[in-house]
Amino acid sequence: MNKPASVPEQFDAVVVGAGFSGLYMLYRLRQLGLSVRVLESAGDVGGTWYWNRYPGARCDIPTTDYTYSFDPELEKEWTWSEKYATQPEILEYLRFAADRLGLRPDIEFSATVTSSRWDEPEKRWTITTDGGQEIRCRYYIMATGCLSMPKSPDIEGAGRFAGQVYFTSRWPHEGADFTGQRVAVIGTGSSGIQSIPLIARQASQLTVFQRTPNFSIPAHNGPAPADRLDRLAEDRDEYRDAARWSRGGVPIDPTDILGGTASEAVRRERFEAAWAQGELFGILNVFADQGVNPASNDIVAEMIREKIRSIVTDPETAEALCPKDHYFGTKRPCLDTGYFETYNLPHVQLVDLRKQPIVSITEEGIETADESFGFDAIVYATGFDAMTGALVGVDVAGRDGLSLKEKWVAGPSTYLGLMTTGFPNFFMLTGPGSPSVLSNMTVSIEQHVDWVAGCLENMRDEGLETIEPTALAESGWNQHVQDCAAITLHPTANSWYMGANVPGKPRFFLPYIGGVNAYRQACDEVASQGYLGFRLTGPGQDQCRDGIIRRMQPDVAMVLEFMAAAGLPPLETLSAADARALLAATAEASPPGPEVGEVTDGLIPVPSGDLPYRLYRPAGPPEGPRPLVVYFHGGGWVLGNLDSDDPLCRDLCARSGAVVVSVNYRHAPEVRFPAAALDAFAAVQWADANAIELGAIPGQLAVAGWSAGANVAAVACQLARDAEGPHISGQLLICPVVDSDMTRPSYTENGAGYILTTALMRWFWDYYADPADRGDPRAAPLRGNLEGLPEACIVTADFDPLRDEGIAYARALEAAGVPARLVRARGHTHTSVTMVGVVISGAPVRAEIGEALGDFFPAP
Ligand SMILES: Cc1cc2nc3c(=O)[nH]c(=O)nc-3n(C[C@H](O)[C@H](O)[C@H](O)COP(=O)(O)OP(=O)(O)OC[C@H]3O[C@@H](n4cnc5c(N)ncnc54)[C@H](O)[C@@H]3O)c2cc1C
């Protein structure tokens, strides 16, 4: 134990853990002039690299990048020997860093923190170790690691085996010699995949027990990659900065090639290049959409399976090694050296536990449903209680005795993965809700440590004593973390990212998948906005700027960024003709929307002439007539046509099971108010009268529309009521224009930056209606008589200038006795819900819309 001569009981800060995070945290806190004690269970520094000494243990990020970058001098003094360094070398590096920075005197080894308690009056934590020692501190920082709490094997009879037992995560310091032994390895995650080839070299017989096959690619270890070394030599700072602002913490060139549209030759070329390169973020970057699009993911997954089949000679073993139960990348892919080749050795056998599960561990070995195996040694490579295990492994009691374990019983809840409400001055490095295990962790660790150090520095300068996130900020961040995961394929996998490897652990996507760059941006913004979402107190001070740092759906934000980068002119600066041409080009480039059974175009004869329409009939049974929805496109009465809303109409048709007739009404400025509304009503009358010809059930007719199309749909309902027909069963109004009053708060909040702007809305109104007409209920249906109207489903979007009038319409309908279902598209803009095939997060909203449409009609 490396105890300093005198151990003061009071410190400014206690840091738990002396791995990459704890060491750098100590260094930064010392720079701030704080007194610090680091408590570490292990007998030395190193964390992960102290404990995981199994044969073959290596990093899976090139060491050019898996290294501290905060001190150029430190970097100069250390040269990594290989592309992927071994555990002994990484441990040696961390020892070197601790010595070089003089950190050891503040670290107490062989000291495990067992409990901690927040003392509100004193505004201090009391930390207790397994040795019974108590330490008091103001700041309590958990650098306890994401993969540091081994998962105990949940196998019947695990304690009974009389031979030697090894855990990859707690490997003996003296090593293990398997020469001439019959060895079992249980588990084929990263540690299993790394150790199996080396254990096979010694063992006389090796049996691998596999529950889930994992994707692995060859590491092609060797000298550090020349391209990375060159870039570092050329401009180290630029390289490190590129890592900090990359998605995964390693500089790569993100591709924009999509799996579905790439040619077979391009697919093969990209995949083979990534396979040959042997880098994690390379194989995750074969296609831009492989993480979100199942079809694109399948292309990569199948190519890896082909490789496995080409390496492993026994077809049955090869098939058992091919992962088929999860999308590629939804579990961290492994990098290996000769893993699949190992199964071609005559003394190596694979037991597929899906076919013959383990019944029990016995004194002599392992009994499966089909066989009894005798062994001299069993190696458990069974993984970790990831991300939360080490945190809730300590009995942490926050304000009013709130237990962290209890607070997180349904899943962890954090603000930025850094702090959690109810636990003042309690920081987590790479905690749940931060990029951590999805990234190059050294980059994520440095970012967290720097943020915490900056925060404490600010508190010191401002004379503040406590910091704690607000409930609103925390729930907003939790939501954002889940929103980011929901648009990817990740939540579909039974992975440790989801807590699925630990029985009873809540299924919850633990890390933040929005990217190291996006995450850093959010953290920086929180700090620069006066620590948005945190309450800070000090003598005579209580400051809180409450709020949510990210409310927008992540894919909506991406679309906005993409459009901003495209530099398109604001529509309102164009002529109507040019704006229409721009919109037509956009529609042309959009994904087509889902397949439906039948699409036919036709003309509706109305008093003013013929209106083009397009009919969508759902695929599949029932063959007979269906309910009918008459749909009106968006575009501010000026823009839009049958093509612009074609993907949405297909989607509505497929989801609702109704026949959809999309109508192209006359546009302004050529024909102004009330032409569009009158056309809409005429089209509804025609559709009702021709229901049988349209393949629809007479009398089962609803109207729908988006934006200005929702305006004319709503007006058509009022005109139909006044004319006592036709009967309309329901009105679906997606982000409707229902009033000409542009002073509601949503116009102020969302008037710029979200595609539909206040300026554009004004442009639309100016083209459509004279100011004197804008209060007419046929232009502003909110101002009309709302009694006796069809039931409604109204969709509003958070970032839409029209949000508040949509809400007002729903309330006014309810007040008039008309049932109105309000669907709030959280984190969406005026346009994003309708961007079928582009904005993935719009799909659940459209599912709700489809259901609402179906509910307008009697059950079939
Ligand atoms: C085999 C393996 C390979 C990996 N390879 C990579 C890689 O290539 N790239 C990558 O980015 N990441 C990798 N990781 C993740 C790795 O954990 C991180 O990169 C990094 O080492 C984490 O550093 P840390 O200091 O945050 O946590 P750790 O290194 O886990 O250190 C945490 C320390 O806290 C101590 N501790 C925990 N609880 C207590 C307590 N209650 N009291 C006292 N001490 C406590 C532990 O003993 C441990 O020493 C790997 C992980 C494993 C297991």
Side-chain angles (χ1 to χ4, degrees):
M1 190 153 68
N2 191 8
K3 261 192 183 166
S6 71
V7 183
E9 295 219 77
Q10 297 270 355
F11 292 91
D12 292 323
V14 162
V15 176
V16 188
F20 267 104
S21 328
L23 294 177
Y24 182 43
M25 191 76 247
L26 168 60
Y27 174 74
R28 288 300 312 268
L29 293 173
R30 271 198 190 164
Q31 280 186 327
L32 293 178
L34 300 182
S35 63
V36 190
R37 169 54 37 99
V38 176
L39 299 169
E40 167 58 63
S41 297
D44 198 356
V45 299
T48 291
W49 305 103
Y50 173 90
W51 295 110
N52 293 269
R53 296 165 186 251
Y54 59 85
R58 288 176 191 273
C59 53
D60 63 8
I61 299 286
T63 39
T64 39
D65 299 81
Y66 189 66
T67 190
Y68 283 132
S69 71
F70 64 88
D71 181 352
E73 292 306 311
L74 191 73
E75 246 186 281
K76 266 193 217 149
E77 290 169 32
W78 184 270
T79 306
W80 292 102
S81 68
E82 324 177 63
K83 177 179 172 189
Y84 297 112
T86 58
Q87 170 270 329
E89 187 174 353
I90 304 173
L91 178 58
E92 200 44 45
Y93 168 73
L94 286 165
R95 285 187 178 136
F96 150 78
D99 291 336
R100 162 77 169 61
L101 301 170
L103 301 176
R104 287 181 185 276
D106 291 328
I107 307 174
E108 188 170 333
F109 295 110
S110 307
T112 298
V113 173
T114 52
S115 65
S116 44
R117 175 168 42 81
W118 172 250
D119 182 342
E120 180 69 26
E122 292 291 321
K123 307 235 179 305
R124 277 186 162 65
W125 284 93
T126 303
I127 317 276
T128 308
T129 69
D130 56 350
Q133 186 186 8
E134 284 206 338
I135 298 180
R136 288 168 75 70
C137 61
R138 173 142 288 161
Y139 307 114
Y140 176 25
I141 301 165
M142 299 295 260
T144 45
C146 295
L147 299 170
S148 57
M149 178 64 85
K151 183 177 95 73
S152 43
D154 47 335
I155 305 172
E156 170 69 24
R160 298 220 317 257
F161 182 60
Q164 286 164 305
V165 174
Y166 299 92
F167 294 88
T168 50
S169 52
R170 290 291 179 270
W171 205 257
H173 287 206
E174 61 281 10
D177 184 2
F178 296 112
T179 310
Q181 292 192 356
R182 297 164 305 155
V183 183
V185 174
I186 301 178
T188 52
S190 179
S191 303
I193 284 177
Q194 286 187 332
S195 60
I196 283 164
L198 290 168
I199 295 174
R201 281 193 203 164
Q202 292 184 333
S204 63
Q205 182 197 312
L206 172 63
T207 310
V208 178
F209 292 84
Q210 170 191 272
R211 194 168 54 185
T212 315
N214 272 301
F215 289 100
S216 185
I217 65 160
H220 301 301
N221 202 10
D227 54 335
R228 297 200 179 277
L229 287 179
D230 289 349
R231 269 184 78 181
L232 271 165
E234 211 170 284
D235 190 342
R236 189 206 85 97
D237 292 347
E238 184 277 331
Y239 185 85
R240 295 294 180 215
D241 219 45
R244 290 179 191 121
W245 289 101
S246 66
R247 254 191 90 73
V250 179
I252 61 165
D253 293 325
T255 182
D256 55 8
I257 294 175
L258 303 178
T261 49
S263 70
E264 183 50 38
V266 168
R267 289 174 184 170
R268 180 56 65 181
E269 186 193 321
R270 289 198 56 76
F271 172 76
E272 293 294 345
W275 184 266
Q277 183 196 32
E279 287 193 18
L280 186 60
F281 290 111
I283 198 77
L284 292 171
N285 185 44
V286 175
F287 304 125
D289 58 343
Q290 69 190 59
V292 296
N293 178 351
S296 174
N297 190 288
D298 280 345
I299 296 168
V300 183
E302 191 47 34
M303 287 184 178
I304 297 178
R305 288 190 285 262
E306 266 174 29
K307 291 281 187 192
I308 297 172
R309 291 180 190 120
S310 74
I311 297 169
V312 180
T313 48
D314 174 46
E316 201 183 326
T317 307
E319 227 33 57
L321 288 165
C322 283
K324 290 172 200 142
D325 73 339
H326 62 279
Y327 289 109
F328 174 66
T330 55
K331 298 182 174 192
R332 189 165 173 129
C334 306
L335 297 192
D336 71 87
T337 303
Y339 173 65
F340 293 113
E341 290 83 347
T342 303
Y343 292 95
N344 293 335
L345 299 172
H347 66 292
V348 177
Q349 184 192 357
L350 179 74
V351 175
D352 184 349
L353 295 180
R354 299 220 165 142
K355 287 195 178 143
Q356 46 169 323
I358 294 180
V359 176
S360 173
I361 309 271
T362 63
E363 273 187 26
E364 292 79 32
I366 296 176
E367 232 177 74
T368 67
D370 301 347
E371 255 175 286
S372 275
F373 296 85
F375 294 114
D376 303 307
I378 297 180
V379 175
Y380 289 101
T382 41
F384 299 90
D385 182 352
M387 299 207 71
T388 52
L391 293 165
V392 298
V394 177
D395 175 13
V396 185
R399 182 177 298 110
D400 303 323
L402 175 66
S403 141
L404 185 66
K405 196 172 181 173
E406 275 168 29
K407 179 178 171 183
W408 285 8
V409 80
S413 170
T414 72
Y415 185 31
L416 302 169
L418 276 161
M419 298 196 82
T420 184
T421 313
F423 298 81
N425 293 2
F426 173 77
F427 296 89
M428 295 163 279
L429 302 182
T430 66
S434 75
S436 59
V437 289
L438 295 174
S439 65
N440 170 8
M441 287 204 59
T442 54
V443 169
S444 290
I445 285 168
E446 288 190 356
Q447 185 261 338
H448 258 194
V449 169
D450 289 339
W451 193 93
V452 172
C455 169
L456 298 187
E457 186 175 14
N458 171 69
M459 288 174 70
R460 184 195 62 191
D461 295 349
E462 302 287 326
L464 294 159
E465 288 175 340
T466 70
I467 178 165
E468 183 187 344
T470 67
L472 175 71
E474 183 164 310
S475 68
W477 184 254
N478 291 334
Q479 184 66 64
H480 178 57
V481 171
Q482 297 309 311
D483 285 346
C484 289
I487 60 172
T488 73
L489 299 171
H490 271 80
T492 61
N494 281 330
S495 64
W496 57 258
Y497 294 143
M498 290 290 293
N501 64 328
V502 178
K505 191 166 173 170
R507 296 288 167 101
F508 196 89
F509 194 72
L510 295 164
Y512 175 70
I513 202 170
V516 163
N517 45 358
Y519 177 77
R520 180 182 294 272
Q521 181 72 35
C523 290
D524 288 357
E525 282 175 32
V526 164
S528 68
Q529 291 178 31
Y531 289 91
L532 177 76
F534 284 104
R535 160 156 274 119
L536 294 120
T537 68
Q541 298 194 66
D542 186 350
Q543 2 175 315
C544 180
R545 232 199 111 206
D546 206 356
I548 293 177
I549 187 68
R550 291 284 179 266
R551 291 194 302 124
M552 186 171 279
Q553 291 288 348
D555 48 356
V556 175
M558 276 185 239
V559 168
L560 290 181
E561 273 168 34
F562 178 80
M563 293 188 74
L568 300 174
L571 287 176
E572 67 273 16
T573 62
L574 303 177
S575 67
D578 286 348
R580 285 173 191 158
L582 184 59
L583 219 70
T586 314
E588 182 94 359
S590 300
E595 286 286 328
V596 293
E598 190 188 332
V599 180
T600 43
D601 284 357
L603 293 172
I604 302 174
V606 295
S608 58
D610 287 342
L611 302 178
Y613 77 87
R614 183 168 295 163
L615 180 142
Y616 304 83
R617 191 176 168 77
E623 283 303 316
R626 307 241 190 178
L628 179 63
V629 176
V630 183
Y631 174 86
F632 302 99
H633 65 77
W637 309 281
V638 178
L639 314 171
N641 52 33
L642 300 182
D643 293 334
S644 62
D645 289 30
D646 183 78
L648 178 65
C649 288
R650 288 168 176 274
D651 196 79
L652 287 175
C653 170
R655 288 181 193 277
S656 68
V659 170
V660 174
V661 170
S662 173
V663 177
N664 199 10
Y665 47 93
R666 285 171 299 161
H667 294 145
E670 292 82 356
V671 190
R672 286 161 61 87
F673 170 84
L678 298 182
D679 282 357
F681 181 48
V684 172
Q685 288 175 306
W686 172 85
D688 180 64
N690 291 276
I692 293 173
E693 292 75 8
L694 295 170
I697 305 168
Q700 288 193 21
L701 178 146
V703 295
W706 166 53
S707 192
N711 170 276
V712 298
V715 174
C717 288
Q718 297 192 6
L719 296 177
R721 180 217 35 213
D722 296 345
E724 296 181 9
H727 168 75
I728 298 176
S729 306
Q731 46 180 327
L732 166 66
L733 311 178
I734 305 171
C735 303
V737 188
V738 284
D739 199 10
S740 47
D741 175 4
M742 293 168 71
T743 62
R744 290 189 173 83
S746 53
Y747 262 102
T748 319
E749 287 168 33
N750 305 321
Y754 306 120
I755 301 179
L756 179 66
T757 60
T758 303
L760 181 57
M761 216 38 233
R762 199 166 285 126
W763 187 79
F764 285 143
W765 274 114
D766 288 348
Y767 269 144
Y768 183 50
D770 286 341
D773 291 329
R774 293 181 196 173
D776 187 314
R778 291 172 304 166
L782 180 59
R783 303 190 190 191
N785 168 20
L786 304 187
E787 280 170 18
L789 289 177
E791 67 172 294
C793 172
I794 296 177
V795 183
T796 61
D798 281 354
F799 294 92
D800 183 359
L802 307 182
R803 179 195 67 202
D804 292 347
E805 64 196 70
I807 294 171
Y809 201 55
R811 294 207 177 119
L813 285 170
E814 288 278 359
V818 177
R821 172 171 173 174
L822 184 62
V823 175
R824 300 193 70 151
R826 188 176 47 74
H828 280 275
T829 61
H830 183 75
T831 50
S832 59
V833 172
T834 66
M835 298 176 100
V836 178
V838 177
V839 174
I840 298 170
S841 62
V845 183
R846 291 195 308 277
E848 204 177 334
I849 295 173
E851 188 193 300
L853 261 182
D855 288 350
F856 287 151
F857 308 110

